[in-house]
């Protein structure tokens, strides 16, 4: 079986299990964003294990389910969990899942993550809209892709019109929504203080271990992308608190309700 065969089978399974659903917005949930699932109405859940193009999920806080239904009244396909490049070294782990969304006619992809802040003014619990990214590992999920379409224009990787919509929604809610550059680090280890100083010099505002490969896949598939970071900590050297995945999850849980409310309000505006 090829990846395209797996995508075709996955799309057929989704249509068979949820024939009434016509999502145009896809959402990938990172750490701290899983509460979105509880706000999806008329939900149909499909385990990733039933979808051959979808990855195995092995990180705490990632459920491994596709949820189809309505969020804020908008038809959505929610990916509750992602596989990270640090799990097996491959940047294309989410390629099959995202191409399956494109195959069922999803047009807009919302990527969410937990991230560390490089700006002391953007503290724990803040939300940041990605304006651009730094692909520091210089890994790509497009290795082996044929033809000229592999040369994807990343100039507006995070769609300017969608970012304006997000800012308008946040403003109406009275919610501060920072905007900045996200630096992708491979992980799973956290950065050193020296690395954080380097990232600040390069113009990064937040740092994390996901999102960039999915953005590349989505743009290659013709989807528009919006991405949001939930700030769970100040990066190494900016705060005395030791960094750990448990600390990330705890901080994300504490700020989750605010993040979920924004995404619920944003979904119909994107659709």
């Amino acid at each position: 079986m090829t990846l395209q065969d797996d995508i075709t089978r996955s799309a057929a399974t989704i249509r068979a299990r949820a024939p009434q659903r016509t999502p145009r917005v896809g959402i990938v949930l990172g750490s701290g964003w899983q509460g979105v699932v509880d706000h999806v109405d008329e939900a149909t859940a499909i385990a990733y294990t039933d979808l051959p193009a979808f990855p195995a999920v092995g990180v705490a806080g990632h459920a491994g389910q596709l949820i189809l239904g309505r969020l804020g009244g908008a038809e959505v396909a929610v990916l509750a969990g992602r596989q990270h490049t640090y799990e097996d070294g491959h940047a294309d782990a989410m390629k099959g899942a995202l191409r399956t969304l494109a195959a069922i006619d999803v047009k807009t992809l919302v990527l969410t993550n937990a991230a560390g802040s490089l700006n002391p003014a953007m503290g724990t619990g803040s939300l940041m809209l990605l304006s651009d990214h730094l692909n520091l590992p210089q890994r790509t999920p497009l290795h082996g892709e044929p033809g000229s379409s592999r040369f994807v224009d990343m100039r507006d990787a995070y769609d300017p019109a969608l970012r304006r919509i997000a800012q308008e929604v946040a403003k109406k809610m009275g919610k501060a929504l920072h905007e900045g550059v996200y630096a992708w680090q491979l992980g799973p280890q956290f950065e050193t203080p020296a690395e954080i100083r380097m990232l600040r010099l390069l113009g990064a505002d937040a740092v994390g271990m996901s999102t960039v490969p999915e953005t590349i896949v989505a743009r290659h598939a013709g989807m528009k992308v919006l991405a949001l970071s939930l700030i769970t900590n100040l990066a190494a050297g900016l705060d005395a608190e030791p960094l750990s995945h448990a600390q990330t999850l705890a901080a994300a849980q504490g700020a989750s309700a605010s993040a979920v409310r924004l995404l619920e309000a944003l979904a119909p505006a994107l659709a």
Side-chain angles (χ1 to χ4, degrees), residues 5-271:
D5 291 331
D6 288 342
I7 291 167
T8 300
R9 291 165 59 208
S10 296
T13 297
I14 293 167
R15 293 189 179 105
R17 299 259 193 109
Q20 75 281 19
R21 301 270 71 101
T22 57
R24 296 295 175 264
V25 176
I27 303 171
V28 178
L29 300 182
S31 298
W33 297 86
Q34 299 298 317
V36 168
V37 170
D38 297 330
H39 292 255
V40 178
D41 298 322
E42 304 168 27
T44 298
I46 306 173
Y48 284 6
T49 51
D50 293 338
L51 300 167
F54 281 57
V57 176
V59 177
H62 292 258
Q65 286 188 320
L66 173 66
I67 314 292
L68 298 115
R70 291 182 176 275
L71 180 66
E75 290 274 350
V76 295
V78 178
L79 277 68
R82 58 158 58 91
Q83 187 179 109
H84 303 75
T85 303
Y86 63 69
E87 294 180 59
D88 61 8
H90 299 297
D92 62 354
M94 296 298 292
K95 182 159 67 173
L98 298 182
R99 285 186 176 173
T100 299
L101 293 189
I104 62 171
D105 214 23
V106 167
K107 303 298 186 185
T108 297
L109 184 68
V110 180
L111 297 168
T112 67
N113 62 57
S117 172
L118 279 65
N119 179 358
M122 188 169 65
T124 299
S126 299
L127 292 171
M128 189 189 87
L129 190 64
L130 274 64
S131 60
D132 208 337
H133 70 234
L134 296 171
N135 182 349
L136 293 165
Q138 279 300 291
R139 300 284 190 93
T140 177
L142 301 182
H143 279 148
E145 290 292 329
S148 60
S149 67
R150 75 186 114 171
F151 302 109
V152 181
D153 184 358
M154 299 296 288
R155 177 174 42 192
D156 287 323
Y158 304 97
D159 190 80
L162 297 184
R163 284 157 41 204
R164 286 193 293 272
I165 290 170
Q167 289 288 10
E168 289 168 3
V169 169
K171 185 176 180 180
K172 288 179 182 177
M173 297 177 69
K175 189 179 297 296
L177 182 57
H178 300 269
E179 194 160 350
V181 175
Y182 175 91
W184 176 41
Q185 290 279 63
L186 191 59
Q189 73 283 348
F190 291 100
E191 300 74 33
T192 68
E195 288 169 336
I196 293 303
R197 291 195 296 272
M198 175 192 72
L199 295 179
R200 294 181 76 181
L201 288 171
L202 291 174
D205 299 286
V207 61
M209 303 177 191
S210 67
T211 302
V212 170
E214 294 107 294
T215 297
I216 296 169
V217 170
R219 296 300 300 128
H220 183 254
M223 289 187 277
K224 295 180 178 180
V225 177
L226 183 77
L228 292 156
S229 291
L230 173 58
I231 301 301
T232 57
N233 58 275
L234 291 176
L238 301 180
D239 188 52
E241 185 174 2
L243 298 177
S244 69
H245 188 60
Q247 181 266 340
T248 296
L249 292 178
Q253 183 64 33
S256 175
S258 176
V260 168
R261 283 195 299 271
L262 175 63
L263 200 49
E264 186 175 19
L266 188 54
L270 297 178

